Amino acid sequence: MKTAKTDVSSLIEKDRANVWHHISPYIEEKPPMVIQSGQGAWITDHQGNRYLDGMSGLWCVNVGYGREELAKAAYDQMVEMAYVPMTQSHVPAIELAEKLNDLLGGGYMIFYSNSGSDANEVAFKLARQFHQQNGEPSRFKFLSRHRAYHGSSMGALSATGQALRKFKYEPLAPGFLHVSPPDSYRRPAGMSVEDYNIMRAEEFEQKIIWEQKETIAGIIMEPLITGGGILTPHPVYVEKVQEICRKYGILLIIDEVICGFGRTGKYFGHQHFGIKPDIITMAKGLTSAYLPLSVTAVRKDIYETFKNSAENSHFRHVNTFGGNPAACAVALKNLEIIERERLVERSELLGARLQAELAELKEHPHVGDIRGLGFLLGIEMVENKETKEPASAERVASLIAACKKEGLIIGKNGDTVEGSNNVLTLSPPLSCTDDDVEFIISVLKKVFTEL
Ligand code: PLP
């Protein structure tokens, strides 16, 4: 639907009167953008302003905007069979589960839900029930990291380690505990990155012992902490966490909601490391957000404990929309596009180019660190390079506003932990052209020069 430019102010008025926006304070002079269309990596607002969407929406539109074949896949499926509850089955759900299992290297069962939060809730419920049916009913606690985000629902928010996302919504679910994140940039002076990461992984072990090892059901973590500030671990960290899980009989749940589907330069973020997770959750890039869909992939031998005929031993969890046929059809087509256009390899290549070109920004007095994996980048801004004092909210906001003025949308790790919201984030569509990447680089260089 095309909207005349003159309608803009009345649209904003109606928006202000009726729409309550996600995680945004009300600022009279800063109304939300009303986005009308998207093509490739670019979005256009109702006033005709074009922006390169350097955040792929919320880290999710991996194949870019305007893909007619995704719309057609949804249309065709809706006409043929619009809805099947997942108590039964349908062709796209079956084909997608097989495809995902292939991408994961096999050995998983696929449970469908609607959102990343849902997928993590399923992981928590499954893990608790598994331990109960596996003769270890005392295991109910989950460990995760401060600064990491795992979703907005009460369980997923409990696992989240971002105090500002929880503030005023507590008390949350009991049994969720947190350890320090691996923040190599702020490691103690004189300590190697590797030693520091081992130390951080061992914090899990310490917590397990303090809490009594037979009470711990699972550890949930992203391959790298994304929304909490792009905290990339040394491989030794991830591998050590798996080792600890195995040592204590704890399930390792890997949250691939952002890292999945090529974002980090591999199909799944955990594939950078020598690990085989027990449970993997995914959403966002699964459909490139054209329709809502999420997945909890569970090791088959865990699934086996739910197959016995004892009363109440099946997984008693249902959601109406999970595994929606059109969403599954879109996911299949989305994966076809990712493969056909080699977007996973492209992510690795473009991420490397971005890092190489932006390396010179490390000299800037307000840039403390630049880090990332694949086409995912964080720029940690500081007031003072020596003390690493985090950049003020105003400085971070002015940088984001300057990018927007130049036509580039970038993000930041907002509302996470007080004093740690100073990391600019970039997660552009993996389908970015070479010109798009040049544009991102030139805008960032320009705005930092002028800062
Ligand atoms: N896990 C991670 C790592 C996320 O980044 C998010 C959302 O940003 C979620 C889970 C929750 O996903 P959703 O917003 O689809 O519920």
Side-chain angles (χ1 to χ4, degrees):
M1 190 181 75
K2 293 270 181 270
T3 307
K5 285 185 186 175
T6 46
D7 290 345
V8 170
S9 58
S10 83
L11 261 176
I12 296 288
E13 256 170 53
K14 282 191 215 170
D15 181 281
R16 286 304 206 196
N18 300 291
V19 184
W20 193 338
H21 290 276
H22 295 196
I23 202 163
S24 311
Y26 183 93
I27 304 173
E28 183 60 35
E29 63 280 8
K30 258 182 80 183
M33 295 164 74
V34 181
I35 313 291
Q36 176 155 334
S37 62
Q39 196 62 44
W42 293 79
I43 55 174
T44 305
D45 72 12
H46 273 68
Q47 288 162 297
N49 301 308
R50 289 179 79 236
Y51 301 92
L52 192 150
D53 182 3
M55 280 305 293
S56 304
L58 281 179
W59 330 70
C60 50
V61 188
N62 288 14
V63 300
Y65 297 94
R67 295 277 190 173
E68 283 187 24
E69 53 187 322
L70 293 184
K72 186 158 184 324
Y75 174 88
D76 289 347
Q77 184 57 47
M78 284 180 190
V79 171
E80 187 175 354
M81 186 62 211
Y83 177 72
V84 180
M86 281 310 295
T87 46
Q88 307 302 323
S89 205
H90 57 79
V91 177
I94 296 167
E95 287 181 353
L96 180 60
E98 187 182 34
K99 178 77 196 164
L100 290 172
N101 219 342
D102 279 353
L103 295 173
L104 290 169
Y108 292 93
M109 292 297 284
I110 302 298
F111 192 99
Y112 292 111
S113 305
N114 312 300
S115 68
S117 305
D118 286 347
N120 286 336
E121 297 292 347
V122 166
F124 302 140
K125 287 174 74 176
L126 266 169
R128 283 188 179 166
Q129 191 175 345
F130 163 71
H131 288 304
Q132 292 227 3
Q133 296 179 182
N134 199 38
E136 294 192 284
S138 61
R139 291 189 184 273
F140 73 97
K141 295 175 191 166
F142 294 94
L143 307 184
S144 56
R145 284 92 53 83
H146 289 290
R147 296 190 68 175
Y149 183 70
H150 293 294
S152 56
S153 50
M154 285 304 207
L157 191 58
S158 306
T160 292
Q162 301 179 347
L164 288 172
R165 300 279 172 119
K166 306 202 232 197
F167 182 48
K168 300 192 187 183
Y169 310 117
E170 290 159 307
L172 298 174
F176 288 86
L177 306 155
H178 300 86
V179 299
S180 313
D183 182 0
S184 299
Y185 170 60
R186 291 172 186 279
R187 69 188 182 280
M191 195 175 214
S192 75
V193 170
E194 193 166 347
D195 285 349
Y196 169 75
N197 274 258
I198 292 171
M199 180 181 86
R200 282 290 179 244
E202 283 173 350
E203 219 180 287
F204 272 118
E205 184 161 25
Q206 191 58 63
K207 192 84 168 173
I208 290 163
I209 291 164
W210 277 332
E211 288 290 328
Q212 192 55 40
K213 57 188 187 313
E214 295 84 358
T215 68
I216 313 295
I219 286 178
I220 181 166
M221 65 180 199
E222 296 179 87
L224 65 109
I225 291 179
T226 53
I230 317 285
L231 301 174
T232 48
H234 187 284
V236 75
Y237 174 89
V238 182
E239 285 152 20
K240 182 96 192 145
V241 174
Q242 173 169 273
E243 190 186 309
I244 293 167
C245 283
R246 296 213 167 141
K247 180 170 169 192
Y248 293 99
I250 291 164
L251 297 181
L252 178 58
I253 305 164
I254 295 291
D255 179 336
E256 292 274 4
V257 170
I258 286 180
C259 292
F261 306 102
R263 175 54 61 199
T264 69
K266 293 212 185 280
Y267 243 105
F268 294 100
H270 72 266
Q271 293 169 339
H272 286 277
F273 313 106
I275 63 165
K276 182 89 178 168
D278 301 308
I279 300 179
I280 301 158
T281 58
M282 47 189 102
K284 296 189 191 269
L286 172 58
T287 58
S288 286
Y290 277 65
L291 282 177
L293 184 68
S294 66
V295 155
T296 309
V298 187
R299 239 179 46 210
K300 277 199 171 143
D301 58 307
I302 295 175
Y303 171 73
E304 294 299 316
T305 62
F306 290 77
K307 268 170 72 179
N308 76 62
S309 56
E311 205 180 354
N312 297 327
S313 65
H314 58 290
F315 189 44
R316 279 156 295 107
H317 181 96
V318 60
N319 61 69
T320 306
F321 299 127
N324 173 280
C328 290
V330 165
L332 278 165
K333 187 56 80 179
N334 179 56
L335 294 177
E336 195 184 306
I337 294 171
I338 291 176
E339 246 168 60
R340 190 178 68 224
E341 299 185 7
R342 304 179 69 82
L343 293 183
V344 179
E345 293 87 336
R346 183 97 183 130
S347 169
E348 187 186 7
L349 184 95
L350 296 184
R353 191 179 300 165
L354 211 54
Q355 292 236 21
E357 289 275 356
L358 295 178
E360 68 189 60
L361 292 184
K362 282 190 183 156
E363 304 308 317
H364 191 283
H366 293 296
V367 173
D369 193 25
I370 301 184
R371 53 190 182 247
L373 197 59
F375 211 22
L376 179 64
L377 196 82
I379 303 176
E380 174 144 4
M381 292 184 66
V382 290
E383 285 303 316
N384 180 315
K385 276 174 114 83
E386 291 305 309
T387 63
K388 300 187 179 173
E389 179 195 344
S392 67
E394 295 70 38
R395 197 179 299 283
V396 175
S398 76
L399 213 293
I400 293 172
C403 284
K404 189 173 169 200
K405 209 160 155 228
E406 297 293 328
L408 172 65
I409 307 272
I410 62 167
K412 70 161 182 146
N413 63 332
D415 286 324
T416 61
V417 177
E418 252 177 46
S420 295
N421 297 309
N422 58 321
V423 182
L424 301 174
T425 56
L426 266 169
S427 175
L430 309 182
S431 57
C432 272
T433 62
D434 289 346
D435 285 350
D436 292 337
V437 180
E438 280 314 310
F439 177 77
I440 294 171
I441 292 164
S442 66
V443 170
L444 284 170
K445 284 184 180 171
K446 178 165 192 275
V447 296
F448 270 102
T449 310
E450 291 168 2
L451 179 68

